[in-house]
Amino acid sequence: MIDQLYRKAVLTVAERPQVEKLARDKMWPLAQRFVAGEDIQSAISAVQELQKDGIQGNLDLLGEFIDSPEQCNEFADNVLKLIDAAHAAGIKPYVSVKLSSVGQGKDDGGTDLGLKNARRIIGKAKEYGGFVCLDMEDHPRTDITLEQFRVLVGEFGHKHVGTVLQSYLYRSLKDRESLDDLKPNIRMVKGAYLEPETVAYPDKADVDQNYRRLVYAHLKAGNYCNVATHDEKIIDDVKRFVLAHGIPKDQFEFQMLYGIRRDLQKSLAAEGYRVRAYIPYGRDWYAYFSRRIAETPRNAAFVVRGMLKG
């Protein structure tokens, strides 16, 4: 409950226009801990640096609250440029996309614009042997995202498109089971949006326990699982679970956020585990930065110390 109250307080304050203006004016040097930069080359350079330590990248062009179809198409075009740039740099493209950013829910001649743009993006990634993860957003979008994920796996295959489940939602265990026929590649996260108690666990202990259940069930079903957490207790539990159940290291990977626990990322890679860092970039970094601060008081303390130094 305390964690839920902390997240609510931070995100409520972050939504105030005056706070956002102050952050955009003063906090970019601090945000660079969590955001690779504002352009494609910054993102590509971040991947190349991580690869020196055996860590791969999951690239994400930041962008939320995109309204017009023209903006959605432009955003999709920029993701296509990112995929081309990664391939040109010798990197197998691996990108995350929020379907709302490319037009989810907007009609385009009888077809959902988000689905249309997702097809363009996944098709381009598949051309290079790459992968696209359809990010999960707040709970009202869960149904449509999972429906579109099912369509896209049918068209492109589970080796080129995956999605995300959030352990703080009560529904996620049933959602996971409902996707088993697809042999889906799923990124398991705890969840970073401000959700009501009617749909989400308010207590961290329950979120963590549900996270373990989701990961274990997905691995036991023989599916590929992206274990996206910085929690060393959970990571150690997953290590023990895969060892006890004979699950090979090529059936899962550990994923973490850019700029957080680089030491842990390096040590896991050195142990022979697959490790991937989620690397966001772009000018629209404020909403992402706010959610990172809302995750833990340690992140808020980092910002306060940085402001005092500045």
Side-chain angles (χ1 to χ4, degrees):
M1 182 66 72
I2 293 175
D3 301 275
Q4 181 79 350
L5 291 173
Y6 169 75
R7 180 185 292 121
K8 181 177 181 180
V10 172
L11 293 178
T12 299
V13 170
E15 289 175 355
R16 296 176 179 173
Q18 62 269 33
V19 174
E20 179 173 353
K21 183 179 185 304
L22 174 65
R24 290 188 176 279
D25 290 343
K26 303 293 185 181
M27 292 187 186
W28 172 239
L30 302 175
Q32 290 181 82
R33 169 175 173 171
F34 306 107
V35 180
E38 294 192 342
D39 56 28
I40 287 177
Q41 187 51 54
S42 298
I44 297 298
S45 296
V47 176
Q48 292 171 328
E49 187 65 27
L50 288 168
Q51 286 181 333
K52 295 176 183 177
D53 293 319
I55 301 165
Q56 300 304 311
N58 174 4
L59 292 165
D60 179 27
L61 172 59
L62 297 173
E64 302 186 39
F65 314 117
I66 296 173
D67 293 323
S68 72
E70 292 76 19
Q71 289 175 313
C72 293
N73 289 331
E74 181 182 4
F75 189 92
D77 289 342
N78 287 331
V79 176
L80 293 174
K81 291 176 184 176
L82 169 63
I83 292 171
D84 281 331
H87 174 71
I91 298 168
K92 182 180 289 188
Y94 190 119
V95 302
S96 285
V97 176
K98 286 182 174 61
L99 288 172
S100 65
S101 297
V102 295
Q104 185 183 69
K106 292 179 170 58
D107 181 73
D108 185 64
T111 301
D112 185 277
L113 181 60
L115 190 59
K116 179 179 178 180
N117 278 323
R119 288 181 170 124
R120 290 203 293 146
I121 292 167
I122 299 165
K124 172 65 71 173
K126 185 174 182 178
E127 179 184 334
Y128 299 137
F131 185 84
V132 177
C133 180
L134 306 178
D135 267 346
M136 193 61 69
E137 302 178 63
D138 54 356
H139 80 274
R141 290 188 178 272
T142 302
D143 282 331
I144 187 173
T145 298
L146 292 181
E147 289 169 7
Q148 292 181 344
F149 171 62
R150 179 170 286 278
V151 170
L152 293 165
V153 172
E155 294 177 2
F156 296 96
H158 66 265
K159 292 185 178 180
H160 298 287
V161 57
T163 192
V164 177
L165 291 178
Q166 302 170 111
S167 71
Y168 68 175
L169 295 182
Y170 303 135
R171 60 176 291 172
S172 290
L173 277 172
K174 290 184 178 179
D175 286 336
R176 194 219 65 77
E177 186 177 4
S178 74
L179 298 171
D180 264 342
D181 62 300
L182 301 177
K183 305 302 293 181
N185 181 315
I186 295 182
R187 183 174 195 254
M188 301 296 182
V189 305
K190 294 182 182 179
Y193 291 88
L194 183 60
E195 300 283 18
E197 291 184 30
T198 52
V199 301
Y201 293 105
D203 294 328
K204 181 179 184 299
D206 292 326
V207 175
D208 289 352
Q209 188 57 36
N210 202 40
Y211 188 91
R212 291 178 173 89
R213 287 194 290 260
L214 282 164
V215 170
Y216 298 164
H218 204 58
L219 290 170
K220 286 178 70 175
N223 303 316
Y224 195 89
C225 188
N226 304 289
V227 185
T229 181
H230 306 99
D231 188 324
E232 289 189 72
K233 291 182 180 178
I234 290 178
I235 290 171
D236 287 341
D237 285 346
V238 171
K239 287 181 179 180
R240 286 189 286 268
F241 180 87
V242 298
L243 186 63
H245 291 81
I247 294 169
K249 286 183 176 179
D250 62 2
Q251 193 188 320
F252 68 97
E253 63 188 55
F254 292 108
Q255 293 194 1
M256 300 184 196
L257 299 175
Y258 178 77
I260 299 179
R261 292 307 309 270
R262 178 71 180 273
D263 59 328
L264 183 55
Q265 294 177 36
K266 291 171 66 174
S267 67
L268 287 169
E271 292 175 36
Y273 292 102
R274 291 181 176 179
V275 181
R276 192 179 303 274
Y278 183 86
I279 305 174
Y281 79 98
R283 294 181 180 277
D284 192 11
W285 52 266
Y286 177 71
Y288 176 84
F289 179 58
S290 298
R291 288 198 296 275
R292 297 292 74 77
I293 301 308
E295 282 178 341
T296 168
R298 291 192 302 273
N299 290 347
F302 159 77
V303 171
V304 171
R305 288 196 302 269
M307 293 180 69
L308 291 175
K309 289 179 181 178

